[in-house]
Amino acid sequence: MPSIKAVDLAAHPLTAWQGPLGLPDFTRIGDGDFSPVFDAALEAHEAEIEAIAGNKDTPTIENTLAALELGGEALDRVSSIFWCRVGAYTNDTIQALERDISPKMSRHFSAISMNERLFARIDDLYQRRESLKLDAETLRVLEKTWKGFVRSGAKLDADGKKRLAKISEELSSLGTSFGQNVLADESDWALFLNEADLVGLPDFLKSSMAEAAEMRGQKGRYAVTLSRSIYEPFSTFSERRDLREIAFRAFTMRGQNGGATDNTSVVRDMLKLRAEKAKLLGYGSFAALKLDETMAKTPKAVHALLDPVWEKALEKAAADQTDLQRLATAAGSNEKFAAWDWRFYQEKLRAEKFAFDEAELKPYLQLDRVIDACFDVATRLFGITFEEKKGIAAWHPDARVFVVKNADGSERGLFLADYFARPSKRSGAWMSALQSGYRLGHGSKPVIYNIMNFAKPPAGEPALLSVDEAKTLFHEFGHALHGMLTDVTWPSVAGTSVSRDFVELPSQLYEHWLTVPAVLEKHALHVKTGKPMPKALLDKMLAARTFGAGFATVEFTASALIDMAYHARPDAPEAPLRFEAETLGKLDMPDTIAMRHRTPHFGHVFSGDGYSAGYYSYMWSEVLDADAFAAFEETGDPFNPALAERLRKNIYAAGGSKDPEELYTAFRGKMPSPEAMMAKRGLV
């Protein structure tokens, strides 16, 4: 392995991006390249930090704050490629590197945040901020930077700093273990079936299961996997109750199967360390620490949103279960209604109430046409266009590359998308960036990517999506737009660098345009006939938008309440899974509905720090998105130009350059109440 000195960061393909369109040249990047380049990039960044901290000149915005923001470019570049690979295309080598690099990165950034000379310079600027005559964005960046140092232990004594750094390092390693354990359970499990086991399954699902089986060396058979794109439709359509139960139990027990991949002790240790971290920093709980920089501010405010929704959702779910039990009895079932029955009979209830089922919609939701719909809406709202560039190598052959252009034809940035599930990819869907867009220094154009886990069809067949999958695509593309439309000076407030309970607004709001009739009429074309979705079917689909709200709201809100219950305590529960069960019992959680994310595989909360004490934020943002789309509905035009421009300027382009309440009020004129969200969900 080459020494650090042998790595030329100015020329290495991981840090000097010289591929087509200014992308990394992925054809020249091997798994063995990451470790030496990381070491060299960390050393280079340490030298940059030392130069800033050791500067004898009076601190200025340019020589301290801007230098800090622009430092570490090589580290940013190798990191962005590596973490993309970790999530989207991992292997044993990458996972071993992840276990090594995660604590190394934690130590590096802890050292920066606890560097006394560096903080002294930031603190000097912060204390003089009123006299520096800063523009609003720069002032906000300075204040956020100062608070970030303080929340990372800059004001602790030497022992406190040492302990906090150790806690952060341990949490980083545990988060890595958590995510790798879940991926192992997901990729190792498959239920292989034969033709006789497929009763009730539509053709699109059979094709996806055949492809999944072939990928796992079982050509000619069919595989149920733990990818939602297969698990959920299988649970919805399979007439085989015994197989639905097997799949349900495997899905809900990810991360809790004993042995090397069991996350029980990982969660226990993470919760203990988080509680200790909060106490060390002077907070009453980890939730209080995490919520300090959000719109919600306190656990009490979170519960003020979640608790009334929970009560309404329980009522709705109970009423729905009565209907589902009726259908099960009518079908001759003598078994006690169970969680693996819900999706199956809910689909039959949908057919009874609205005279259609999900299988009727799928032929109209081709992946490529839904992608076109995403792009079309962005063009109509914001004037940007997308041009696919074929034959450009990315991290995996499935990843696609698009050039994003402004209305005047100038290049805005790049968008990459990787849509299909595979064993080397963690489950779920997400947006991230290889490079953020900002104006500071020489500036930078955004290079944004989306990752999905849709079932891959056999070669030559089009991929078909469910309505929920189409919404997921719109959702993640909404995040991507937040990154691509960013129009700020400072990197640390670019794109999605906003408070956790504001970041879901651009994504959840964008979902609304999927079901705008004009969008569906243009893009929901039958896979075989090319004809638009019949108006009767479209009307039924739109009428059924709130169908199943009880189930969907209970499974989501249960996860959000458990997250808050873990983290709003001053201490950690000794037995987290027992605590989960006891808390759900106190909440009167129906045993016929599972949490959307049970603790042992709750990646949002435990695979890193992202949504810990923050899973509620999807619903917090939903209050905003329901009200925001209502603004368009009130004009009678879902593409109202004046409103779209306000939306672009204040929500999608502004990043974290202003307080989120200020940004939302600039768009809408006022802050919303939860009623519109409750109505949108069909709970009132």
Side-chain angles (χ1 to χ4, degrees):
M1 186 170 285
S3 69
I4 291 175
K5 297 199 186 315
V7 175
D8 182 359
L9 294 176
H12 197 283
L14 276 168
T15 48
W17 293 0
Q18 296 171 342
L21 306 176
L23 284 168
D25 185 348
F26 284 95
T27 65
R28 296 175 57 216
I29 295 171
D31 293 350
D33 291 331
F34 285 106
S35 188
V37 174
F38 259 112
D39 286 344
L42 285 164
E43 188 176 272
H45 194 209
E46 286 170 9
E48 291 172 326
I49 294 298
E50 176 56 33
I52 300 167
N55 192 335
K56 303 299 184 187
D57 295 340
T58 301
T60 65
I61 293 297
E62 290 72 25
N63 71 20
T64 301
L65 189 64
L68 184 62
E69 289 259 326
L70 292 172
E73 182 182 23
L75 185 59
D76 288 343
R77 287 191 158 192
V78 64
S79 295
S80 69
I81 299 172
F82 181 72
W83 296 115
C84 176
R85 282 289 310 275
V86 165
Y89 192 31
T90 192
N91 55 38
D92 290 345
T93 301
I94 294 295
Q95 290 194 328
L97 282 169
E98 184 187 7
R99 292 190 292 272
D100 175 60
I101 288 167
S102 291
K104 194 178 288 186
M105 292 283 278
S106 177
R107 287 194 295 272
H108 175 73
F109 285 105
S110 286
I112 292 172
S113 61
M114 296 177 190
N115 184 313
E116 292 182 6
R117 292 173 300 145
L118 180 61
F119 178 64
R121 295 182 67 82
I122 295 293
D123 190 49
D124 178 282
L125 290 171
Y126 181 74
Q127 301 305 332
R128 291 189 288 120
R129 64 192 183 281
E130 300 299 336
S131 65
L132 295 175
K133 298 180 181 176
L134 305 176
D135 63 84
E137 184 183 327
T138 303
L139 177 60
R140 183 165 171 81
V141 170
L142 175 59
E143 290 175 342
K144 282 171 67 73
T145 303
W146 184 86
K147 287 178 184 176
F149 270 83
V150 172
R151 284 159 55 85
S152 297
K155 290 194 167 187
L156 294 177
D157 61 21
D159 287 344
K161 286 178 178 174
K162 185 177 179 182
R163 179 58 190 154
L164 185 62
K166 183 65 175 172
I167 289 171
S168 297
E169 184 179 336
E170 289 181 24
L171 283 171
S172 177
S173 293
L174 287 166
T176 295
S177 296
F178 185 97
Q180 291 190 357
N181 289 344
V182 175
L183 179 62
D185 277 7
E186 289 173 346
S187 58
D188 289 349
W189 190 92
L191 177 61
F192 293 104
L193 305 178
N194 298 314
E195 189 75 41
D197 302 316
L198 308 184
V199 59
L201 302 189
D203 289 343
F204 74 81
L205 182 54
K206 292 178 186 177
S207 294
S208 298
M209 289 169 61
E211 181 72 10
E214 186 171 344
M215 285 173 68
R216 289 161 175 79
Q218 294 270 351
K219 188 172 183 179
R221 301 190 77 195
Y222 303 84
V224 182
T225 70
L226 299 182
S227 165
R228 281 190 190 272
S229 60
I230 287 180
Y231 164 73
E232 288 189 356
F234 181 80
S235 303
T236 299
F237 293 111
S238 176
E239 300 277 352
R240 289 282 301 276
R241 188 175 193 266
D242 58 329
L243 300 180
R244 297 201 309 267
E245 180 180 359
I246 292 170
F248 172 84
R249 293 194 183 282
F251 192 78
T252 54
M253 291 298 288
R254 288 170 294 152
Q256 194 189 347
N257 291 305
T261 63
D262 194 285
N263 274 329
T264 306
S265 61
V266 177
V267 169
R268 181 197 64 215
D269 294 347
M270 289 185 82
L271 290 173
K272 284 184 177 179
L273 289 167
R274 285 172 174 175
E276 185 185 352
K277 178 178 180 177
K279 188 175 182 180
L280 199 56
L281 290 169
Y283 290 87
S285 68
F286 186 73
L289 167 64
K290 283 299 293 286
L291 293 171
D292 192 31
E293 286 287 291
T294 64
M295 295 180 79
K297 306 295 186 206
T298 66
K300 184 179 178 182
V302 172
H303 277 284
L305 170 65
L306 294 180
D307 292 350
V309 173
W310 179 249
E311 293 305 319
K312 292 283 188 186
L314 286 180
E315 292 173 17
K316 186 79 173 67
D320 289 348
Q321 185 171 328
T322 300
D323 267 346
L324 302 182
Q325 183 73 65
R326 170 181 60 80
L327 289 175
T329 302
S333 173
N334 297 316
E335 307 281 351
K336 182 178 182 292
F337 191 85
W340 46 90
D341 295 319
W342 195 292
R343 291 183 191 277
F344 180 73
Y345 285 107
Q346 183 167 269
E347 190 58 28
K348 295 195 177 305
L349 184 61
R350 185 207 308 270
E352 180 186 275
K353 285 191 169 187
F354 300 101
F356 82 98
D357 62 28
E358 278 279 353
E360 275 186 85
L361 292 173
K362 273 228 173 186
Y364 293 97
L365 295 173
Q366 299 172 64
L367 171 60
D368 281 344
R369 293 201 180 277
V370 178
I371 295 168
D372 288 344
C374 276
F375 293 169
D376 187 23
V377 170
T379 301
R380 294 183 68 177
L381 285 172
F382 307 123
I384 57 174
T385 56
F386 300 80
E387 180 185 347
E388 184 165 11
K389 297 292 185 181
K390 302 274 191 182
I392 294 177
W395 54 87
H396 186 274
D398 283 347
R400 298 164 64 177
V401 179
F402 302 85
V403 173
V404 187
K405 293 185 176 179
N406 295 308
D408 63 4
S410 59
E411 186 178 317
R412 173 150 211 97
L414 299 175
F415 172 62
L416 288 77
D418 183 354
Y419 292 110
F420 296 121
R422 52 182 172 263
S424 61
K425 183 191 282 190
R426 71 172 167 87
S427 62
W430 64 96
M431 163 269 181
S432 193
L434 292 180
Q435 180 172 284
S436 295
Y438 54 85
R439 292 190 295 272
L440 191 68
H442 297 298
S444 170
K445 287 183 179 177
V447 181
I448 308 298
Y449 63 88
N450 275 172
I451 306 290
M452 308 288 163
N453 268 284
F454 303 138
K456 191 170 186 176
E461 291 187 24
L464 303 178
L465 306 183
S466 68
V467 174
D468 281 347
E469 287 173 329
K471 282 183 179 177
T472 296
L473 197 151
F474 264 71
H475 178 102
E476 297 305 334
F477 190 72
H479 280 309
L481 285 172
H482 203 182
M484 290 185 285
L485 290 170
T486 191
D487 186 17
V488 299
T489 297
W490 292 85
S492 64
V493 292
T496 56
S497 298
V498 300
S499 71
R500 183 62 69 190
D501 48 13
F502 191 68
V503 77
E504 296 300 332
L505 169 59
S507 54
Q508 292 178 184
L509 174 57
Y510 206 70
E511 291 178 35
H512 288 266
W513 275 278
L514 170 64
T515 50
V516 167
V519 174
L520 287 169
E521 287 161 9
K522 181 177 179 182
H523 297 286
L525 307 180
H526 195 279
V527 64
K528 290 181 178 174
T529 67
K531 292 183 178 178
M533 185 183 293
K535 187 172 188 309
L537 182 57
L538 173 58
D539 290 344
K540 289 174 188 175
M541 188 190 91
L542 296 176
R545 272 184 294 190
T546 61
F547 177 76
F551 173 85
T553 308
V554 165
E555 67 164 10
F556 167 83
T557 313
S559 296
L561 288 167
I562 289 292
D563 171 35
M564 199 50 57
Y566 279 138
H567 293 111
R569 296 166 49 114
D571 56 1
E574 279 300 322
L577 296 184
R578 187 172 71 224
F579 178 78
E580 175 193 86
E582 290 170 351
T583 304
L584 292 175
K586 292 173 185 174
L587 289 168
D588 296 322
M589 175 77 171
D591 63 3
T592 51
I593 302 178
M595 295 166 63
R596 185 159 183 83
H597 307 284
R598 285 198 56 241
T599 297
H601 51 258
F602 203 165
H604 287 77
V605 170
F606 295 109
S607 187
D609 196 26
Y611 282 81
S612 54
Y615 194 64
Y616 78 92
S617 58
Y618 287 93
M619 189 168 284
W620 189 276
S621 291
E622 192 176 345
V623 173
L624 301 175
D625 83 65
D627 179 69
F629 193 70
F632 284 90
E633 292 178 316
E634 288 161 13
T635 71
D637 179 4
F639 298 98
N640 181 283
L643 205 52
E645 174 53 24
R646 288 220 307 273
L647 182 66
R648 184 201 64 77
K649 179 181 177 183
N650 296 296
I651 306 298
Y652 285 93
S657 60
K658 295 180 181 176
D659 180 83
E661 287 196 22
E662 183 183 343
L663 290 173
Y664 190 82
T665 303
F667 162 67
R668 187 67 163 112
K670 60 179 176 57
M671 288 298 290
S673 66
E675 277 67 36
M677 180 273 291
M678 302 267 270
K680 172 196 160 195
R681 278 187 172 250
L683 298 177
V684 293

